[in-house]
Amino acid sequence: MTQVVGKEQSTSKNLVAHPLENIEDVEEFYAAINRHHLTHAITKERPYTYWTIELYDKKNGIRGGGGLGVLAADTRRVAEESNVPFVLITPFYPSEQHQHYIKEGDRFNNYTTHENVDYHDYGYQFLDTVNIHCNNTLVSLDVIEKVLGSTRIICITEPGFGELYSGDSGGDHRLFQEVALGFGGYQALKLAGLKPAIMQLNEVATFFAALARLDELTKNGMDFYEAVVYTRKHTLYTNHTLVQAAEADFSFEQFERFVFPNLKSLAVKKWLADKFENGHIKLSAVTIEIAELRSGVSKLHARVANYRDLAGNKVKFKAVTNGIDIPTWTDKDIIKYLTEKGIIDKFYLPTADYLEKINSIEAKDIIKLKKHGRKELNEVLAHRPNQYGKYVNIPEDALLFEFKRRFVDYKRPWLAFSNPERLKKILEENNAYYILCGRVHEGDDRMAGRLHNLLDLVDRDEILRERVHYLPDYDEELGRALSIGSNVSINNPIVGLEACGTSWMKDIINFGLLISTHDGGVADAAADNYLNIHGNTESEEIESLYLRMEEAVATWQHDFDLEYLIKRQLAAFLPVISGTRMLKDYLEYLF
Ligand SMILES: *Cc1c(COP(=O)(O)O)cnc(C)c1O
């Protein structure tokens, strides 16, 4: 693996001025890191460690809730493909939720089922158990492990662990899960014989891992202040949220039951107790204290995330825009096509001259590849029922719009239904279909109600009933299939509320047209690179959305326009989309 793909071989001459600028090859990349005599370079025994309460990787037995988990899974896959020593530490949830939707009489009923999951079915090996103190009892946690190339997934689990995000976000059970991941996971690393070179905390639910490290260093005799400096220097806090105020807090009393009993160092206990304000603590506030490195997940998000440290100073976040693992989410024929055209290299990075090479993409190829994608989508739809329990098939010559993301307020899944007559006209006149996909969070009655209303609206109209389909239990399979098999995807969060989003990346890489508001990672590039929804009010945005839908239809009818827009999207976003680029950005920031 010494061949360098893409750019010319970069030389040590370049490395002096811009250490990591021209390096496409991972081995070369590592050589460059070592040449810089970094004090904490990563090795098999001292890996990059990534802590996350959520992983979305059903192939490895763990179902997530949304983007946070998908990002974690993709980061690990990219590390495996790039041969980076990487350990992901996460809970293995012994139970998972499934959402169902069915029409009974004239009412849509949704219900949730809970399925047991057994880690033995997914190739994990049991290592040993570790103990943590919780609520006056000693809880024993199983440590399990799965090695995948240069990476591993290490999980802690026990029968009473429950489901992802079960209970209130400030509740005891959530605190138990977070404490188990942090203190249990840190002991699990030691069991596996590993020392973290770096600890990346994927959101604040993983704070306790860094706390466990601080405690261990102090207990082992390091001066407390040195231990704080050391932990801070090697911890990266990746923030995905916008507003600190929205975060739930925990009480001192809860910490007395779940956290303090797990600390061995009196100095660390005092340090932590000092961080409470009026008897309460926000994990973001202490995570900021324990992590000197901090990142946000898109350029816009890193700029606008509004966080303050305990002294009241605004926190700065380094922008590392999320990427996706291209082979996971892209039609195989499209990957082959992009590779043969010299647009991406074997590490799924854009080549040095990708901008020029993109010019050789032709409309007839886009259309052919998309037909193939439609077939793959229909194969998935053959076993994924719609809201009526029926299996739909989207004809090869029909145009498909889709909206696939969690059913939450700020993502506005109902926007295209604001004017049903207008939507109907677009669909009917152009032989088009609309697939809507996305789970409502269990217990979110308000959003469940909005979904019901939307399905009722569709149900009342013969044309909408034929052309609009809601697919329950949104998951990776549907996410991938829809990106591959649709023509146009719609992403319309309220501007300012999406941290990054990655679904739209899956659509662009699969030669779909993107209609989007200028938000999250989409705002990494200028708004004229895709079909932008704009407006000063929601009704202006709705009008803009319909105009864009009409434009998307016309674009798919004119080869020249289609070719132009697909190329433009790729030229603007390919580097953003590449998960390898993201990992490279993290490594550059960390080392
Ligand atoms: C890609 C993907 C996501 C990411 O969603 P965003 O809303 O774009 O952050 C979430 N869930 C599933 C199942 C996915 O495949």
Side-chain angles (χ1 to χ4, degrees):
M1 263 206 357
T2 48
Q3 185 200 355
V4 174
V5 179
K7 287 186 185 178
E8 284 173 60
Q9 291 257 358
S10 59
T11 60
S12 45
K13 191 178 71 200
N14 293 340
L15 288 171
V16 179
H18 303 287
L20 300 168
E21 197 176 54
N22 287 313
I23 300 164
E24 310 278 88
D25 187 281
V26 173
E27 289 206 344
E28 178 87 352
F29 189 53
Y30 275 90
I33 287 175
N34 290 331
R35 248 172 271 157
H36 283 263
H37 304 291
L38 288 151
T39 50
H40 43 249
I42 37 188
T43 62
K44 257 183 103 168
E45 295 74 30
R46 282 179 70 82
Y48 187 135
T49 66
Y50 188 97
W51 301 77
T52 185
I53 199 82
E54 177 185 339
L55 174 67
Y56 208 140
D57 186 358
K58 195 53 211 173
K59 216 172 132 192
N60 291 308
I62 305 177
R63 182 175 207 193
L68 190 82
V70 170
L71 176 73
D74 275 4
T75 307
R76 190 207 58 77
R77 291 181 192 120
V78 170
E80 184 183 344
E81 285 145 19
S82 313
N83 216 12
V84 172
F86 182 97
V87 178
L88 185 144
I89 305 99
T90 197
F92 191 99
Y93 296 94
S95 172
E96 69 182 29
Q97 281 182 18
H98 288 273
Q99 176 209 19
H100 309 266
Y101 238 95
I102 202 80
K103 197 173 179 226
E104 287 166 340
D106 57 359
R107 246 195 86 77
F108 285 98
N109 285 321
N110 67 315
Y111 61 98
T112 305
T113 53
H114 303 264
E115 249 173 48
N116 293 334
V117 198
D118 184 343
Y119 65 73
H120 296 98
D121 298 340
Y122 294 92
Y124 285 87
Q125 292 220 316
F126 172 78
L127 285 186
D128 205 342
T129 56
V130 293
N131 295 322
I132 56 164
H133 298 274
C134 279
N135 227 359
N136 291 319
T137 43
L138 199 63
V139 178
S140 170
L141 302 165
D142 285 2
V143 176
I144 58 172
E145 176 193 56
K146 188 166 177 180
V147 177
L148 296 144
S150 64
T151 73
R152 320 180 189 210
I153 302 177
I154 292 183
C155 305
I156 45 101
T157 187
E158 56 104 18
F161 211 82
E163 283 174 358
L164 172 66
Y165 302 141
S166 52
D168 297 335
S169 52
D172 278 5
H173 190 68
R174 214 62 90 70
L175 184 56
F176 160 66
Q177 290 183 333
E178 295 172 5
V179 163
L181 174 62
F183 288 101
Y186 197 76
Q187 293 178 65
L189 269 191
K190 279 175 49 188
L191 259 185
L194 304 171
K195 281 199 170 126
I198 202 83
M199 297 175 82
Q200 180 167 5
L201 308 180
N202 194 31
E203 263 305 341
V204 299
T206 61
F207 158 74
F208 299 104
L211 183 67
R213 183 176 219 191
L214 176 65
D215 189 50
E216 154 114 350
L217 292 172
T218 313
K219 186 200 80 182
N220 288 349
M222 195 186 271
D223 170 77
F224 173 71
Y225 292 100
E226 269 177 40
V228 171
V229 169
Y230 186 89
T231 307
R232 281 172 55 85
K233 273 203 181 317
H234 295 84
T235 306
L236 165 64
Y237 159 34
T238 299
N239 171 285
H240 296 254
T241 325
L242 285 138
V243 210
Q244 199 169 17
E247 185 186 317
D249 48 29
F250 292 109
S251 69
F252 193 81
E253 184 273 325
Q254 285 177 300
F255 265 50
E256 278 187 315
R257 286 185 289 125
F258 290 94
V259 183
F260 293 120
N262 290 297
L263 291 171
K264 296 182 185 76
S265 154
L266 195 62
V268 174
K269 276 184 197 170
K270 278 193 174 142
W271 174 85
L272 186 60
D274 218 35
K275 303 288 178 275
F276 280 77
E277 284 179 327
N278 303 320
H280 289 270
I281 198 165
K282 274 198 200 302
L283 292 186
S284 60
V286 262
T287 307
I288 289 161
E289 296 294 313
I290 215 166
E292 196 169 286
L293 305 155
R294 298 145 191 168
S295 63
V297 290
S298 70
K299 286 182 183 165
L300 180 65
H301 167 245
R303 213 165 54 235
V304 302
N306 191 7
Y307 279 70
R308 294 193 181 267
D309 62 19
L310 287 169
N313 302 311
K314 189 143 197 276
V315 175
K316 284 207 173 79
F317 293 99
K318 160 93 180 161
V320 178
T321 304
N322 290 343
I324 57 169
D325 179 47
I326 289 177
T328 297
W329 301 106
T330 313
D331 188 329
K332 285 197 173 54
D333 289 353
I334 291 185
I335 296 187
K336 198 161 153 247
Y337 182 77
L338 293 173
T339 310
E340 282 169 4
K341 292 259 176 217
I343 296 167
I344 54 172
D345 68 17
K346 64 176 173 180
F347 295 107
Y348 311 104
L349 278 167
T351 56
D353 50 359
Y354 78 98
L355 285 175
E356 197 186 302
K357 294 287 166 61
I358 280 175
N359 279 320
S360 67
I361 292 177
E362 290 180 65
K364 66 171 178 30
D365 299 331
I366 297 170
I367 292 164
K368 200 174 119 210
L369 288 161
K370 267 293 171 193
K371 283 218 165 100
H372 174 262
R374 175 64 52 85
K375 247 196 212 128
E376 217 176 295
L377 169 63
N378 278 324
E379 280 164 22
V380 170
L381 295 183
H383 60 260
R384 300 295 302 253
N386 69 0
Q387 72 268 35
Y388 298 100
K390 295 215 174 82
Y391 300 95
V392 290
N393 183 79
I394 307 295
E396 188 187 274
D397 59 348
L399 193 85
L400 178 60
F401 290 94
E402 50 89 350
F403 181 103
K404 51 165 172 13
R405 35 193 52 78
R406 280 181 302 126
F407 215 90
V408 290
D409 231 336
Y410 81 88
K411 290 182 189 264
R412 300 187 289 185
W414 51 80
L415 210 64
F417 297 84
S418 307
N419 181 344
E421 289 305 315
R422 187 89 180 259
L423 175 66
K424 210 161 105 178
K425 194 158 176 278
I426 294 172
L427 299 181
E428 196 184 16
E429 286 179 359
N430 302 293
N431 185 26
Y433 290 79
Y434 193 106
I435 288 185
L436 182 70
C437 217
R439 286 196 284 162
V440 176
H441 193 282
E442 197 183 18
D444 188 348
D445 297 336
R446 215 171 61 82
M447 290 307 286
R450 293 206 78 152
L451 178 56
H452 275 268
N453 294 344
L454 220 152
L455 294 180
D456 282 342
L457 182 142
V458 170
D459 192 53
R460 283 194 301 269
D461 187 280
E462 203 183 326
I463 289 158
L464 291 180
R465 209 158 54 223
E466 183 202 333
R467 297 198 173 267
V468 178
H469 301 279
Y470 173 71
L471 303 174
D473 211 30
Y474 176 47
D475 61 2
E476 295 155 288
E477 180 184 49
L478 284 173
R480 178 185 152 99
L482 284 168
S483 292
I484 289 179
S486 72
N487 304 92
V488 187
S489 64
I490 297 175
N491 175 50
N492 48 221
I494 296 172
V495 174
L497 297 187
E498 185 69 84
C500 181
T502 52
S503 303
W504 60 271
M505 299 181 185
K506 303 169 190 168
D507 305 319
I508 289 180
I509 195 77
N510 284 297
F511 295 168
L513 294 181
L514 174 69
I515 297 180
S516 179
T517 46
H518 202 56
D519 198 21
V522 175
D524 263 33
D528 56 0
N529 290 300
Y530 61 93
L531 296 171
N532 170 247
I533 302 170
H534 54 88
N536 293 319
T537 60
E538 189 164 279
S539 50
E540 281 178 23
E541 286 182 291
I542 291 164
E543 176 60 24
S544 175
L545 166 61
Y546 288 125
L547 288 173
R548 291 314 201 177
M549 288 175 77
E550 285 157 7
E551 209 174 320
V553 169
T555 304
W556 274 101
Q557 289 163 352
H558 295 95
D559 285 6
F560 178 84
D561 297 337
L562 179 66
E563 197 180 293
Y564 174 81
L565 200 48
I566 294 290
K567 286 178 185 175
R568 183 144 190 166
Q569 289 186 161
L570 272 180
F573 291 109
L574 188 60
V576 179
I577 292 171
S578 168
T580 318
R581 182 278 314 154
M582 168 182 65
L583 184 64
K584 215 169 144 218
D585 283 354
Y586 277 126
L587 288 167
E588 283 178 14
Y589 178 49
L590 293 171
F591 296 106

